[in-house]
Amino acid sequence: MGVPKRKTSKARLRSRKAANRWTPPGLFKDPKTGNLHLPHCVDPATGSYRERQVLSKNVEE
């Protein structure tokens, strides 16, 4: 059975664990509506992308 020759330092252990840490996705705020959505993706609330309407949304008022 393999046995470590030296004790793993706290810094080495923590840096190895930091590589697997989850980070939340960065959200983009639409300047017109203020909706938050993923960058480079269509805004699901309005169906627009880069100030252009790309999906038709049925807006009920």
Side-chain angles (χ1 to χ4, degrees):
M1 187 166 109
V3 179
K5 194 162 200 159
R6 300 210 187 321
K7 180 180 177 178
T8 306
S9 69
K10 292 176 188 173
R12 185 176 291 273
L13 175 73
R14 289 173 183 161
S15 68
R16 189 171 63 238
K17 285 180 179 244
N20 299 322
R21 215 155 270 153
W22 179 81
T23 56
L27 296 177
F28 172 75
K29 186 174 182 180
D30 193 353
K32 265 189 178 177
T33 60
N35 294 334
L36 292 174
H37 59 89
L38 290 173
H40 307 287
C41 293
V42 176
D43 184 6
T46 60
S48 62
Y49 177 71
R50 287 187 159 203
E51 306 290 328
R52 286 182 284 133
Q53 193 69 30
V54 291
L55 295 177
S56 60
K57 293 293 278 187
N58 296 335
V59 179
E60 296 179 20
E61 294 181 27

